Amino acid sequence: MSTWLIIEEETVTADGSAPRRQVKVVRQVTGKKTLEEALVELHKVARGHTPDSLRGVSTVVGRDSDGSFWVLPTNGKGPASCNLRLIEQIRP
């Protein structure tokens, strides 16, 4: 069994400057979880996750065809977008 990482890839655009990409680990999924069990955890995190740059902004969450989740401003306009995905940790 593997250790899985739920990561947040956030693209932030502020004050007309070039978009800036930030990546951080949101949560580590341990305890000998299978891929399927880890995907369930990703879904749980996605349902309640709001990235820092979208706090106070109304958001919508959707699943992409690759299994990742997008957190986007509800009206499609805002300072950021966020993609939550699951990766397998292969090295500590």
Side-chain angles (χ1 to χ4, degrees):
M1 301 295 166
S2 299
T3 295
W4 303 94
L5 302 174
I6 296 174
I7 63 167
E8 169 190 281
E9 293 179 274
E10 190 174 5
T11 303
V12 180
T13 305
D15 303 324
S17 60
R20 182 173 41 98
R21 183 173 172 239
Q22 304 172 144
V23 178
K24 71 178 181 180
V25 175
V26 173
R27 185 164 164 229
Q28 194 175 50
V29 180
T30 58
K32 298 186 177 182
K33 302 276 186 185
T34 65
L35 172 59
E36 291 75 21
E37 291 168 323
L39 286 169
V40 169
E41 294 300 316
L42 173 62
H43 186 265
K44 288 177 186 176
V45 167
R47 289 179 64 128
H49 186 76
T50 302
D52 292 339
S53 62
L54 290 173
R55 297 237 186 260
V57 175
S58 178
T59 59
V60 62
V61 178
R63 186 188 325 238
D64 203 337
S65 59
D66 66 0
S68 65
F69 290 86
W70 284 94
V71 181
L72 303 166
T74 299
N75 63 2
K77 298 177 183 175
S81 63
C82 174
N83 186 246
L84 294 167
R85 60 181 60 247
L86 183 69
I87 62 171
E88 181 180 10
Q89 180 177 325
I90 59 169
R91 183 180 67 185

